[in-house]
Amino acid sequence: MKTTVDALCVGQPKPFRDGELSAFAKEPVDGPVRITREGLSGDAQADRKHHGGEHMALHLYPRDHHAFWHEELGGHELLDLHGAFGSNISARGIDEGSVWLGDRFRLGSALIEISQPRMPCWKIEHRFGVPGMVKTILRTGRSGWYFRIIEEGTAQAGDALERVETGRTPWTISEIFSEIANPASPSNRERLANLARCELLSPSWRNGAEKALANRG
């Protein structure tokens, strides 16, 4: 799998709701940008308890999903922006059903590895001003995902995002999200137990698998 990056986006904490800071709004970077263990140089997270860190260094939200949201929302000006969903990487021709946990990609000179789906939160609905978007993401699985950084490097818009290793786990991001995040999905106890033990899955999602295993009996 190989696609071209439309944009690399960063953000800094700004007032978001009731004085609360957030770096959810990301904007494209011009020219090369350094990719470190913490993500893109110039990017930040206001809430370090729930965002950022080793297992959430880079967020990709498939640009192809914007067409779905145009239809769902009846159009929205934010959907013209690369970083509308708080993503660092904007790219087409790739989605949750075509990538597996642990897949490794070359992005510029950096090597990155898929670590977990992205759990949607209230910030999406607040930015768009549309209630119900989180429920739609849970229902449809249009979550996006995160990468951890295996090798630091440099990249820029127009570079290839090329998969260089796959088959390290049997689960697509779509399957993991459905199994753990969507309470309406049929449970598979064996799969949940295996996910809870999988070291390639981030600790927070392994905990999520354990909770889903307990809650769904």
Side-chain angles (χ1 to χ4, degrees):
M1 172 183 287
K2 185 177 181 180
T3 187
T4 300
V5 172
D6 296 326
L8 295 174
C9 304
V10 302
Q12 288 291 317
K14 298 177 182 178
F16 193 69
R17 185 184 71 174
D18 299 331
E20 183 173 353
L21 298 178
S22 175
F24 187 87
K26 309 291 186 185
E27 297 181 354
V29 177
D30 292 327
V33 58
R34 184 71 179 163
I35 302 173
T36 72
R37 299 288 177 180
E38 290 291 309
L40 297 180
S41 179
D43 193 39
Q45 299 80 34
D47 178 6
R48 293 288 295 181
K49 180 179 179 180
H50 299 103
H51 302 283
E54 173 188 357
H55 302 288
M56 294 185 285
L58 292 175
H59 172 47
L60 188 154
Y61 194 80
R63 187 61 190 263
D64 291 333
H65 288 347
H66 286 217
F68 166 84
W69 287 109
H70 267 294
E71 186 73 19
E72 185 76 11
L73 304 180
H76 197 294
E77 60 183 7
L78 287 179
L79 293 172
D80 294 331
L81 305 179
H82 291 291
F85 289 85
S87 54
N88 300 115
I89 304 172
S90 176
R92 303 174 189 271
I94 187 171
D95 64 20
E96 295 84 358
S98 63
V99 297
W100 281 257
L101 175 67
D103 280 1
R104 290 186 171 185
F105 287 78
R106 186 65 66 178
L107 174 58
S109 59
L111 182 65
I112 61 179
E113 177 183 278
I114 295 179
S115 56
Q116 64 169 73
R118 187 238 184 113
M119 183 68 77
C121 71
W122 62 269
K123 292 179 181 179
I124 294 173
E125 295 181 1
H126 181 71
R127 188 178 190 206
F128 279 81
V130 179
M133 292 182 70
V134 169
K135 288 184 178 180
T136 299
I137 292 171
L138 293 175
R139 174 175 56 83
T140 65
R142 288 177 168 84
S143 63
W145 61 88
Y146 283 100
F147 295 93
R148 60 175 66 92
I149 312 305
I150 304 303
E151 297 175 4
E152 298 183 342
T154 302
Q156 62 184 333
D159 281 350
L161 178 66
E162 182 176 9
R163 183 160 55 198
V164 295
E165 187 174 358
T166 191
R168 303 176 72 209
T169 71
W171 310 295
T172 65
I173 287 297
S174 178
E175 290 170 331
I176 295 171
F177 186 81
S178 176
E179 194 72 61
I180 297 175
N182 184 1
S185 67
S187 60
N188 183 314
R189 291 187 61 81
E190 181 179 1
R191 180 182 292 171
L192 284 171
N194 288 333
L195 285 169
R197 293 191 296 265
C198 181
E199 294 186 358
L200 287 176
L201 186 61
S202 68
S204 63
W205 278 77
R206 292 204 303 269
N207 290 338
E210 290 178 353
K211 290 178 181 178
L213 191 61
N215 292 339
R216 298 181 193 177

